[in-house]
Amino acid sequence: MTQDDLHYPNLQYCSVIPAPSSGISHAPPCVSISPKCLDAMSAPIPEAYNFSIEKSVLDKYTQIDSSSNESPLTRESPDQRNDKKSAFTLQQRDVLRRMKSVTNASEDDCASILLNRGFDLNSSIDAYFRGNR
């Protein structure tokens, strides 16, 4: 990253006013702003991101035939996903809950990793943070 890549649009409305602080009898120091800083303050603000890729993904998701009732990402019906979770024992659901609270990952991601790791919580959390999903 170079200094030319840095944009600080909020500096446009910033002003520096040196003033003595309470209890100090001498005058404030002389403050000057460098020409580079002044140029940066007058630089144009980049265009806002339009989210076209995200919108196209959402459009495809909503265009899926509703009669198939399957997720476009997993190609599983909601019943299949719920069956997997209901098949977990009480202890496995507790491990799943603990992994979710540590990783902030989705329930599906945590369940998949835990299933692959034999519900070993430490190994599953390590795998999640290493990216082995």
Side-chain angles (χ1 to χ4, degrees), residues 1 29 93 112 118 131:
M1 178 183 288
R93 278 186 252 141
S112 173

Side-chain angles (χ1 to χ4, degrees), residues 79-97:
D79 294 335
Q80 288 173 317
R81 288 192 303 276
N82 290 334
D83 287 346
K84 286 181 186 174
K85 293 173 194 160
S86 63
F88 293 160
T89 66
L90 185 59
Q91 183 180 9
Q92 289 172 331
R93 278 186 252 141
D94 183 53
V95 171
L96 176 64
R97 180 189 54 77

Side-chain angles (χ1 to χ4, degrees), residues 47-104:
E47 288 186 33
Y49 182 68
N50 66 5
F51 295 95
S52 61
I53 295 172
E54 292 82 357
K55 289 176 185 174
S56 68
V57 170
L58 287 174
D59 289 343
K60 288 179 184 177
Y61 180 78
T62 56
Q63 291 173 1
I64 290 180
D65 184 13
S66 61
S67 64
S68 70
N69 200 20
E70 63 180 24
S71 166
L73 303 176
T74 62
R75 297 293 181 213
E76 296 175 331
S77 70
D79 294 335
Q80 288 173 317
R81 288 192 303 276
N82 290 334
D83 287 346
K84 286 181 186 174
K85 293 173 194 160
S86 63
F88 293 160
T89 66
L90 185 59
Q91 183 180 9
Q92 289 172 331
R93 278 186 252 141
D94 183 53
V95 171
L96 176 64
R97 180 189 54 77
R98 289 171 56 199
M99 182 170 174
K100 279 179 57 179
S101 71
V102 170
T103 62
N104 288 326

Side-chain angles (χ1 to χ4, degrees), residues 3-17:
Q3 288 182 339
D4 295 333
D5 294 336
L6 300 176
H7 297 285
Y8 299 99
N10 292 336
L11 287 179
Q12 178 178 357
Y13 305 106
C14 179
S15 61
V16 177
I17 303 171

